[in-house]
Structures are given as structure tokens and as C-alpha cells.
Amino acid sequence: MTKKTTVPDIRARKGGPKITMVTAYDYPSAVIADRAGLDIILVGDSVANVVHGMSTTLEIGLEEMIVHARAVRRAEPSALFVVDMPWLSFHISPEDAVRNAGRIVQEGGAEAVKLEGGRKRIPVIERILDAEIPVMGHLGLTPQSVNTMGGFKVQGKVVEAAREMIDDARALAEVGCFSIVLEGVPDVLGELITKEVDVPTIGIGAGPNTDGQVLVYHDVLGIGLGHHAKFVRAYASIGEESIEALKRFAADVQSGAFPGEEESYHVSDEVVAELLRGQSSG
Ligand code: KIV
């Protein structure tokens, strides 16, 4: 049996070996990710786009996140199990944020929560940590800020913004986040922040020099058929393969090739004979 990965295990991975993380939104994807030996499984709020077809993550709520978390939890992953706090679940007040993080742990079975934002979120993070809930930070292209960023744009491209992000990362590490996701930032900034903080950084579009990498499950497997960000590498073409498989199924149904003998249930010859006799006399 694979050893359970815990928050302290991830915290201790600063500097290597590299941390691997992938999203999963349901039971089968969690089983598959866990069998592949990934270190962290994240129920990301990207479920809004990837599974529900929403255009932003602002549309997904706490109840839906908990439903997805419960499905993933049932896979009993050896990987550390982290769940995103959706938009507005940690913006109203620290009390509200603790209550919502608590629901994600109590009802969703999460072992840690992730939330977007820098120094602005420190009071909230402190309160969640105080409730013994580990927190993963998230900086850079934070999709919940799509409207203030003016779109899904790479962040920290000018010196002032890059310095602000370094200060945000320092603050998240100092307050006690056990790791920080860096999304959509220049490679040099990914590397600089990684050197500046003593907790692991996990990059997505942040270059190769972070302490780990995360991708969305559907992107890694090539399930989604739409536009992909520059940082995505697909390791399979499951979407295209699925279309071909379903076309073959439909063709076999039309031609009568499916189902065959081996895919049908049978009864004894006596039962068949009796049944047929009943038919003809009736
Ligand atoms: O929601 C998500 O999938 C994420 C990853 C990009 C880290 O936050």
C-alpha cells in the first residue's frame, strides 16, 4: 500500500524532489491520478470551466465544490487532498471564511484548502490556520480576479508588479501557508519567488524552476477539445480517442455487430424450448 502524503511531507519537499500535482473533480479521475502516484490531488475551482462549461470560475459555488470534493474523497487517495475555496467563500469576513473552510474539510473531506491572493488575504489565512486547517496559497494569474486583471493575462511582467508578487509570496510563507501555487508568471519570476520563500512553490505556467508543477487533469490527458494555454502539455489525446471509440460503437450498433454472443445473457436450451413452445401455442 502506498504511504499517505501529508501536509508536512509536502512542506519538507522544498528544494526537491519535485512535487507533482493534478486536478481531479470526480471519483474515477481521483483513482487514476492516485494510481499514477501524483503527490497532490486538487479539486480546483477550474471544475467550473472544465466540467461545467462555465466561462469563469466566479460562477461555481461552495455547495458544488463540496459535491466534487466528496466524490474525490471516496477514492481515498494516498495523495494529499486539497480543495479550492471558491470565489466569495473567503471574502466576506474571516469568520465566514473559517466556517466555509471548515465545511470543505468536514463535508468534503479535504486535508487542506487553497485560496487565491496575497497580503490582502493574510487576516483570513491566519484565522483558517488557527482552526488547524492547512492553507496552500495561490499567486499570479489568479482566475478569480479575471475582472480586475482585465482578462486571463500573464502577471508580474513589469518590475513593480513582480516585486509586489515577491512581497506577497514572502507574506504567505511567513503567515504559514505550507506551499504556494504560482500561475501564469514569467519563468524568471517563478524562479525568483522559489528562491525567496522557504515553502515549496508549485508552478503552472511559471517556468521550470519551481519546486513542483501542477496541471489540469483534462489538459494533461487531452480530454478537452478547446483552446489550450501555452503552458499545457498534453500526454494523451483522450478526447479524440473517445470520439473515435464512440463512432465505432454507433457503427457496430447500426451493423448489428454489437452486441455479440459474448456480450449477451443466455439460458439453457430447455428454457429456450419451453419459452418458444409457449409462444407458438399462445
Ligand atoms: O483551479 C485550478 O485548477 C487551480 C490550478 C490551476 C492550480 O487552481
Side-chain angles (χ1 to χ4, degrees):
M1 201 177 141
T2 319
K3 184 186 167 299
K4 175 71 193 155
T5 301
T6 64
V7 164
D9 292 335
I10 296 300
R11 176 71 187 75
R13 294 271 287 273
K14 179 71 190 175
K18 293 258 188 188
I19 297 163
T20 55
M21 169 163 140
V22 72
T23 64
Y25 313 114
D26 56 20
Y27 177 81
S29 57
V31 169
I32 290 168
D34 207 44
R35 287 205 192 156
L38 277 290
D39 297 311
I40 306 177
I41 291 176
L42 169 74
V43 177
D45 60 353
S46 54
V47 67
N49 317 108
V50 179
V51 173
H52 294 271
M54 298 166 174
S55 55
T56 72
T57 54
L58 304 178
E59 295 170 56
I60 196 103
L62 185 64
E63 304 302 326
E64 289 151 299
M65 291 300 291
I66 289 174
V67 169
H68 287 286
R70 286 165 70 85
V72 167
R73 175 74 270 169
R74 288 185 199 110
E76 297 181 4
S78 298
L80 179 68
F81 175 36
V82 183
V83 177
D84 253 337
M85 295 197 70
W87 183 61
L88 277 194
S89 71
F90 58 98
H91 305 75
I92 313 262
S93 70
E95 288 71 25
D96 190 51
V98 176
R99 196 173 305 113
N100 292 333
R103 285 193 63 196
I104 289 172
V105 171
Q106 207 162 50
E107 299 171 38
E111 292 155 349
V113 297
K114 174 167 82 58
L115 62 87
E116 296 181 8
R119 282 162 289 178
K120 206 157 57 170
R121 302 294 165 214
I122 295 298
V124 157
I125 295 174
E126 270 175 338
R127 291 293 298 275
I128 296 174
L129 289 172
D130 193 48
E132 310 299 343
I133 301 171
V135 178
M136 177 182 276
H138 186 161
L139 294 173
L141 194 176
T142 45
Q144 291 174 12
S145 311
V146 57
N147 291 323
T148 43
M149 290 183 309
F152 298 103
K153 295 176 180 165
V154 174
Q155 299 295 299
K157 285 173 84 172
V158 297
V159 173
E160 192 49 38
R163 292 212 169 114
E164 289 283 326
M165 209 184 299
I166 294 171
D167 287 344
D168 279 337
R170 280 201 198 106
L172 292 182
E174 275 162 22
V175 76
C177 288
F178 71 94
S179 59
I180 303 170
V181 166
L182 298 176
E183 177 169 357
V185 300
D187 51 0
V188 64
L189 184 55
E191 183 173 0
L192 260 178
I193 292 178
T194 301
K195 284 184 177 149
E196 278 296 320
V197 297
D198 63 356
V199 298
T201 57
I202 303 175
I204 174 163
N209 295 316
T210 51
D211 296 302
Q213 295 289 332
V214 51
L215 281 177
V216 164
Y217 183 88
H218 293 59
D219 290 344
V220 185
L221 296 182
I223 297 174
L225 299 166
H227 161 78
H228 280 154
K230 176 187 167 90
F231 57 72
V232 168
R233 187 182 294 176
Y235 288 83
S237 307
I238 303 297
E240 293 297 345
E241 278 179 37
S242 303
I243 292 171
E244 288 314 310
L246 291 171
K247 279 184 181 168
R248 290 206 309 277
F249 164 63
D252 280 357
V253 170
Q254 294 302 339
S255 71
F258 177 84
E261 279 289 297
E262 65 285 4
E263 285 132 349
S264 304
Y265 297 106
H266 304 288
V267 290
S268 66
D269 290 349
E270 294 76 45
V271 173
V272 174
E274 186 64 30
L275 269 174
L276 293 180
R277 223 185 348 265
Q279 280 296 107
S280 52
S281 66

